[in-house]
Amino acid sequence: NDYRKSRANYVVDLAKTAVARVRGTKRAEALLPMSSYERRLVHMELAAHPDIITESIGEEPQRRVVIKLLI
């Protein structure tokens, strides 16, 4: 019952919260391991932020997104 949609909203909200922390602390932050679909959602959502860089690191199934401040 709309699990995928609610999970997508949760992941996007998690990413936005992490961006606020990254901007405040000026330190990179790694999110929890995610599926490729969820990582793609994060990359697409944060692409609109010109001061933020995202990258995926690690090996499956522990692959995660790292959010960094563009310096």
Side-chain angles (χ1 to χ4, degrees):
N1 297 342
D2 293 331
Y3 171 78
R4 189 171 181 149
K5 184 178 179 181
S6 65
R7 178 69 181 175
N9 289 337
Y10 168 76
V11 168
V12 168
D13 289 343
L14 185 71
K16 288 179 180 178
T17 303
V19 165
R21 281 195 304 270
V22 167
R23 285 181 176 146
T25 63
K26 300 196 182 345
R27 299 186 70 194
E29 181 171 327
L31 300 179
L32 296 173
M34 300 179 185
S35 69
S36 60
Y37 172 74
E38 291 171 343
R39 290 193 313 272
R40 184 172 185 271
L41 287 174
V42 172
H43 289 301
M44 289 174 50
E45 180 67 31
L46 299 185
H49 298 268
D51 61 332
I52 297 293
I53 298 173
T54 60
E55 67 177 316
S56 292
I57 61 167
E59 298 293 324
E60 293 292 344
Q62 295 297 314
R63 201 149 165 85
R64 60 187 69 219
V65 174
V66 176
I67 301 171
K68 299 177 182 179
L69 204 57
L70 182 64
I71 297 174

